[in-house]
């Protein structure tokens, strides 16, 4: 672990050199803006940045992505606190006490609590991640293709079952993603599948247009169709309250650590993401408080719990994403797509030869979270103005960047059409309560899962027994059974946090 | 068919209940997966194994979704409660607000289609500028000055970042290719 820590510190120091620091600042600002505007957030930011990152070397691209992730969280909390509009779903619980504090004239204090708790939570999450990485690396070295096959299956089933909407639709969405991934020429089988004989589909549908369409274009359509102008009052706050908020966090270290731990643990659960971390930490803080009735009326502990967990979750959700290619949230699903587009494969290689790249991403996330707290406090008032913007005005730039970005990868007009098609599909999935994350995961994992399956068979003289004849496979099968039992116990109804947009 | 007839047809289509759209969408997905399954049968055993397994499972799940939606529309019980794929969409007539929302979805599809056609015909750089200008002027209803300023600013940003910094060429339209020979 000491080796990884030493390498990590060296990478952090290198981030303060030019031009890398410029990209850290740029990503932080992009994240702050996208986090502030409801409906945008991490997935759209990363999806739109992917084509822009083609001209960069991989380290710089990952620094940009990591910094953007770091900026998104605080952008969302500023609008949650100042105008009761969470910029992203993981900031929703911050509204519960943050906005009442603003109404009581304690906006500065709330922002101070948020900024400090976010920074501490982020640091905690990242160091937990770094602590686990060496053990994960040793564990992954034991994995064989058959084990990776089961990991992929578990990932698909788990993501589908805990994503928004009904689990049957979630698994169906994952299945659709897998089937889409099979389109094109298969090197494994030497067969051109489902391409209708077209030249465009020979290489399959590329991941970039699918990601851009499903997240960015779909969001643009959704923003247009539900466009309204948020009516918010002008809010100004006194900066003197900020220090009071900082002090509050520093004198409640146990609560910060507890909320951060909740964030990390819930972040690890595939597709649970920050929204769950946010509320679980908030409820825990309320139940453990000596004055639970004050929650919801402007108790800074509510803001502390929500924000510490929200930022700690990034460290947690990176873990299944980089180890197994199972995203911990929608943002991680898009980030996973970005990894693959840049030639980085989750699993063993990202913990060995690509480890410096991973450390660059994590370092950028850390530095950005710290910078965000400083920058965000000084520009919070300006960020909030973004929530007043008519969302109609955001649609053209999102569409324009999406279309150019889709074209940028291969200079192929077909990719633009594919992006638009998946934009329509993505919007339809949202409207009819199918989750998009299993779809993206299916597209990503499809070729890998098939490859692991046939590799396992190829290098074995035991036939199908190769999938059940070692302890790792047996453990993974047991995990799959437990997940299956959990799903079976669930009713077939909607999950409580699903939001159905009627069309 | 006159323009008014076309608009009238679209408007009638938008007045279907949400349940009809939901059922239609799930049916489209079902047909796609069925096509994959049937096409798989024409491939070698190893090439079809995975897609066939996945498509059969997905078919089963989508069948449950379709039946759930159909049950809601018809009012008849088609599958046991515990197998249902969640609360289905309403079979009631849509509200005016919902119809307005659907019209806006048709509108944005129209804008996207226009950009695509223009890109194909005259090239992306012109298509994007025309889109930005006309959208801000006629859709967002900004003044000509503000629309032009916003369109120029955004267009310069896009061209600057993609064409100059990232060296990504914008697609030329067929008209440009014809003119240049």
């Amino acid at each position: 672990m000491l080796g990884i820590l030493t390498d990590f510190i060296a990478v952090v120091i290198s981030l303060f050199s030019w031009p890398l620091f410029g990209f850290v600042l740029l990503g932080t600002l992009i994240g702050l803006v996208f986090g502030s505007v409801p409906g945008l957030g991490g997935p759209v930011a990363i999806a739109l940045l992917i084509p822009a990152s083609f001209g960069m070397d991989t380290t710089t691209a990952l620094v940009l992505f990591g910094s953007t992730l770091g900026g998104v969280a605080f952008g969302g909390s500023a609008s949650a606190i100042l105008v009761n509009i969470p910029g992203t779903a993981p900031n929703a619980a911050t509204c519960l006490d943050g906005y009442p504090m603003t109404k009581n004239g304690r906006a500065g204090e709330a922002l101070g609590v948020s900024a400090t708790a976010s920074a501490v939570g982020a640091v905690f999450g990242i160091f937990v991640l770094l602590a686990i990485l060496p053990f994960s690396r040793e564990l992954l070295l034991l994995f064989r293709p058959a084990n990776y096959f089961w990991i992929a299956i578990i990932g698909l089933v788990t993501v589908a079952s805990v994503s928004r909407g009904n689990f049957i639709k979630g698994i169906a969405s994952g299945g659709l993603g897998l089937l889409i991934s099979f389109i094109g020429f298969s090197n494994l089988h030497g067969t051109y599948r489902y391409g209708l004989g077209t030249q465009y589909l020979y290489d399959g549908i590329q991941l970039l247009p699918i990601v851009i369409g499903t997240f960015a274009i779909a969001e643009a359509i959704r923003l247009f169709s539900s466009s309204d102008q948020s009516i918010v009052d002008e809010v100004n706050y006194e900066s003197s309250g900020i220090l009071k908020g900082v002090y509050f966090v520093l004198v409640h270290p146990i609560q910060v650590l507890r909320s951060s731990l909740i964030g990390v643990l819930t972040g690890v659960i595939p597709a649970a993401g920050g929204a769950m971390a946010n509320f679980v930490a908030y409820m825990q803080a309320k139940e453990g408080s000596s004055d639970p009735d004050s929650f919801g009326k402007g108790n800074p502990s509510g803001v502390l719990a929500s924000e510490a967990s929200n930022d700690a979750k990034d460290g947690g959700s990176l873990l299944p994403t980089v180890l197994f290619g199972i995203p911990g949230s929608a943002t991680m699903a898009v980030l996973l797509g970005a990894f693959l587009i840049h030639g980085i494969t989750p699993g063993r290689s990202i913990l060995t030869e690509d480890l410096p790249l991973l450390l660059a991403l994590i370092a950028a996330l850390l530095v950005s979270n710290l910078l965000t707290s400083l920058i965000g406090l000084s520009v919070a008032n300006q960020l909030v103005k973004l929530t007043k913007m008519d969302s109609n005005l955001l649609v053209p730039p999102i569409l324009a960047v999406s279309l150019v970005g889709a074209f940028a990868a291969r200079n192929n007009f077909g990719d633009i059409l594919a992006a638009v098609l998946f934009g329509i599909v993505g919007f339809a999935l949202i409207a009819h309560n199918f989750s998009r994350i299993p779809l993206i995961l299916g597209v990503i994992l499809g070729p890998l899962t098939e490859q692991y399956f046939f590799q396992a068979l190829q290098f074995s003289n035991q036939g199908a027994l190769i999938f059940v004849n070692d302890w790792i496979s047996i453990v993974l099968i047991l995990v799959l059974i437990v997940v299956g039992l959990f799903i079976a116990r669930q009713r077939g109804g909607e999950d409580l946090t699903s939001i159905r947009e009627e069309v | 068919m006159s323009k008014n007839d076309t608009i009238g047809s679209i408007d009638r289509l938008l007045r279907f209940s949400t349940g009809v759209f939901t059922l239609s969408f799930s049916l489209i997905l079902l047909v796609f997966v069925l096509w994959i399954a049937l096409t798989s049968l024409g491939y070698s055993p190893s090439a079809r194994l995975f897609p066939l397994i996945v498509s059969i499972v997905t078919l089963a799940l989508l069948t449950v979704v379709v039946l759930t939606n159909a049950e809601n529309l018809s009012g008849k019980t088609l599958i046991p409660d515990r197998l249902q794929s969640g609360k289905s969409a309403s079979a009631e007539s849509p509200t005016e607000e919902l119809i307005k929302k659907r019209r806006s979805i048709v509108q944005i599809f129209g804008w996207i289609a226009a950009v695509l056609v223009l890109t194909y015909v005259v090239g992306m750089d012109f298509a994007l500028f025309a889109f930005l200008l006309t959208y801000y002027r006629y859709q967002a209803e900004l003044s000509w000055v503000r629309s032009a300023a916003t369109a120029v600013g955004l267009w310069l940003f896009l061209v600057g970042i993609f064409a100059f910094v990232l060296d990504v060429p914008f697609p030329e339209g067929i008209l440009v290719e014809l003119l240049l020979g």
Side-chain angles (χ1 to χ4, degrees), chain A residues 52 149 168 171 175 189 193-194 196 224-225 392-393 396-397 404 407 416 428 432 453-454 492 494 500-503, chain B residues 18 22 25 35-36 40 43 46-47 50-51 61 83-84 86-87 89 101-102 104-105 135-136 139 162 166 169 171:
Chain A
F149 168 77
I168 290 178
I171 298 180
H189 307 293
R193 299 184 294 191
Y194 317 111
L196 301 169
F224 184 93
S225 64
N392 213 354
L393 300 177
V404 178
F407 181 78
I416 299 177
H432 300 290
F453 180 82
F454 284 101
E494 309 293 350
R500 189 174 193 290
E501 182 156 340
E502 199 159 21
V503 171
Chain B
T18 309
T22 306
F25 179 65
W35 174 76
I36 294 271
S40 301
Y43 301 136
S46 65
F50 238 69
L61 294 169
L83 282 179
Q84 293 216 358
K87 224 167 32 170
K101 190 171 170 182
R102 289 176 182 176
S104 63
I105 294 171
Y135 183 100
Y136 282 122
Q139 186 68 53
F162 283 96
L166 299 176

Side-chain angles (χ1 to χ4, degrees), chain A residues 237-259:
Chain A
Y237 60 89
E238 293 176 13
S239 54
S240 58
I242 293 174
L243 288 176
K244 196 173 168 192
V246 173
Y247 179 73
F248 180 88
V249 175
L250 296 177
V251 298
H252 290 84
I254 305 294
Q255 191 180 344
V256 175
L257 288 174
R258 196 158 45 209
S259 300

Side-chain angles (χ1 to χ4, degrees), chain A residues 59-405:
Chain A
T59 304
T60 309
L62 290 179
V63 165
L64 185 63
F65 295 144
S67 314
T68 305
L69 281 182
V72 164
F74 187 79
S77 68
S79 51
I81 289 168
L82 296 178
V83 293
N84 203 30
I85 300 171
T88 65
N91 298 113
T94 306
C95 293
L96 299 175
D97 277 286
Y99 188 60
M101 287 181 74
T102 296
K103 287 204 295 187
N104 294 338
R106 295 159 64 201
E109 186 185 343
L111 286 171
V113 170
S114 170
T116 314
S118 294
V120 174
V123 170
F124 180 85
I126 284 165
F127 278 100
V128 166
L129 173 64
L130 289 172
I132 294 176
L133 277 182
F135 305 105
S136 312
R137 186 166 54 182
E138 296 309 311
L139 179 66
L140 279 184
L141 287 175
L142 300 173
F143 273 50
R144 297 178 296 167
N147 308 136
Y148 280 111
F149 168 77
W150 285 119
I151 289 281
I153 300 297
I154 289 169
L156 281 165
V157 172
T158 312
V159 165
S161 65
V162 300
S163 295
R164 68 186 289 273
N166 177 265
F167 75 87
I168 290 178
K169 289 179 176 176
I171 298 180
S173 182
L176 282 165
L178 285 171
L179 294 175
I180 290 168
S181 77
F182 295 142
I183 296 174
F185 182 78
S186 165
N187 287 316
L188 202 56
H189 307 293
T191 310
Y192 179 22
R193 299 184 294 191
Y194 317 111
L196 301 169
T198 61
Q199 193 180 356
Y200 176 73
L201 292 176
Y202 190 83
D203 294 323
I205 305 178
Q206 299 302 298
L207 183 58
L208 179 66
I210 295 176
V211 167
I212 287 179
T214 311
F215 286 96
I217 296 180
E219 283 306 320
I221 297 172
R222 197 186 60 78
L223 278 173
F224 184 93
S225 64
S226 55
S227 63
D228 57 351
Q229 188 166 6
S230 304
I231 309 296
V232 296
D233 298 324
E234 196 71 37
V235 178
N236 285 300
Y237 60 89
E238 293 176 13
S239 54
S240 58
I242 293 174
L243 288 176
K244 196 173 168 192
V246 173
Y247 179 73
F248 180 88
V249 175
L250 296 177
V251 298
H252 290 84
I254 305 294
Q255 191 180 344
V256 175
L257 288 174
R258 196 158 45 209
S259 300
S260 299
L261 187 62
I262 290 172
V264 171
L265 292 175
T266 47
V268 170
I269 300 171
M276 186 187 280
N278 210 232
F279 279 100
V280 169
Y282 182 86
M283 293 312 298
Q284 189 280 323
K286 183 178 176 181
E287 284 160 19
S289 168
S290 57
D291 184 15
D293 290 336
S294 65
F295 277 71
K297 296 172 188 162
N299 189 329
S301 292
V303 177
L304 187 159
S306 169
E307 287 300 310
S309 62
N310 182 21
D311 282 69
K313 66 119 182 32
D314 284 335
S317 45
L318 263 177
L319 203 56
T321 307
V322 301
L323 292 187
F324 305 118
I326 302 171
S329 63
T331 307
M332 290 297 155
V334 182
L335 187 66
L336 185 59
F339 283 166
L340 292 172
I341 289 165
H342 277 275
I344 304 167
T345 314
R348 197 177 296 178
S349 62
I350 208 173
L351 296 179
T352 49
E353 61 257 31
D354 287 335
L355 185 61
L357 296 174
L358 176 62
L359 292 180
L361 175 82
I362 299 172
L365 183 60
L366 174 69
V367 172
S368 171
N369 265 292
L370 298 174
L371 275 179
T372 295
S373 295
L374 292 169
I375 298 173
L377 284 173
S378 49
V379 301
N381 257 344
Q382 307 309 315
L383 281 178
V384 156
K385 285 179 184 168
L386 291 171
T387 61
K388 297 166 85 170
M389 194 191 301
D390 183 357
S391 52
N392 213 354
L393 300 177
L394 295 172
V395 170
I398 294 174
L399 277 178
V401 174
S402 298
L403 296 179
V404 178

